[in-house]
C-alpha cells in the first residue's frame, strides 16, 4: 500500500528510492488526515498496485488547508522526477508554519 507508482508499474529500478520514501510518507500523512488511503485497496495485491498507478488524488471528505493540500500533492506526485524530495518538503508552508494556539500541547 505504501509502494510508489514507479515500483508498482515496474519502473522502480530507474529511480531513487529516496523519492519513494517521500511517497510513503505522503501516504501516511494522507491516511492520518482522511482515515483512508488515497486509492482503493484491491482484493489482491496486483489489483491494489494497479490502483496505485491509476488513482486520481482527491481531498474529498474533509476540509483541509491549502498548505496541506500543496504538501500532499507534492508528496503524492506519481512522476518521481516531479515528486518533492525530502529537502524540498522543508520549503512547504505546512511544514514551516507555527502551530495554532488552540492545538493540544504534548506533555
Amino acid at each position: 500500500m505504501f509502494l510508489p507508482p514507479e515500483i508498482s508499474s515496474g519502473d522502480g529500478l530507474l529511480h531513487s528510492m529516496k523519492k519513494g520514501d517521500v511517497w510513503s510518507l505522503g501516504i501516511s500523512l494522507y491516511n492520518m488526515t482522511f482515515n483512508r488511503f488515497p486509492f482503493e485497496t484491491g482484493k489482491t495485491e496486483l489489483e491494489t498496485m494497479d490502483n496505485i498507478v491509476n488513482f486520481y488524488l482527491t481531498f474529498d471528505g474533509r476540509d483541509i488547508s491549502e498548505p496541506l493540500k500543496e504538501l500532499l500533492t507534492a508528496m503524492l506526485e506519481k512522476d518521481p522526477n516531479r515528486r518533492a524530495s525530502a529537502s524540498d518538503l522543508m520549503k512547504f508552508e505546512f511544514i514551516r508554519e507555527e502551530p495554532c494556539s488552540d492545538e493540544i500541547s504534548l506533555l
Side-chain angles (χ1 to χ4, degrees):
M1 304 237 195
F2 295 88
L3 291 176
E6 58 270 21
I7 297 293
S8 299
S9 67
D11 294 334
L13 297 177
L14 303 175
H15 303 283
S16 166
M17 277 312 296
K18 290 180 181 181
K19 295 280 187 99
D21 291 342
V22 170
W23 171 273
S24 298
L25 183 59
I27 293 293
S28 297
L29 180 58
Y30 189 98
N31 192 288
M32 289 187 294
T33 302
F34 292 97
N35 199 30
R36 62 180 166 83
F37 291 102
F39 48 83
E40 293 292 322
T41 55
K43 293 180 181 173
T44 66
E45 188 173 321
L46 188 59
E47 193 175 296
T48 297
M49 290 172 70
D50 187 55
N51 291 344
I52 290 170
V53 171
N54 295 306
F55 85 97
Y56 177 76
L57 183 63
T58 65
F59 302 109
D60 300 334
R62 183 172 181 194
D63 290 331
I64 61 172
S65 67
E66 282 303 313
L68 180 54
K69 284 181 187 178
E70 291 169 4
L71 179 63
L72 286 168
T73 299
M75 295 174 83
L76 297 177
E77 167 59 52
K78 290 182 189 180
D79 180 350
N81 295 315
R82 294 179 33 210
R83 189 178 308 139
S85 68
S87 59
D88 291 337
L89 298 180
M90 300 309 295
K91 300 173 188 170
F92 281 84
E93 182 181 346
F94 185 81
I95 301 293
R96 293 189 336 263
E97 66 186 14
E98 294 291 323
C100 297
S101 60
D102 61 348
E103 289 185 15
I104 299 172
S105 62
L106 299 175
L107 300 176

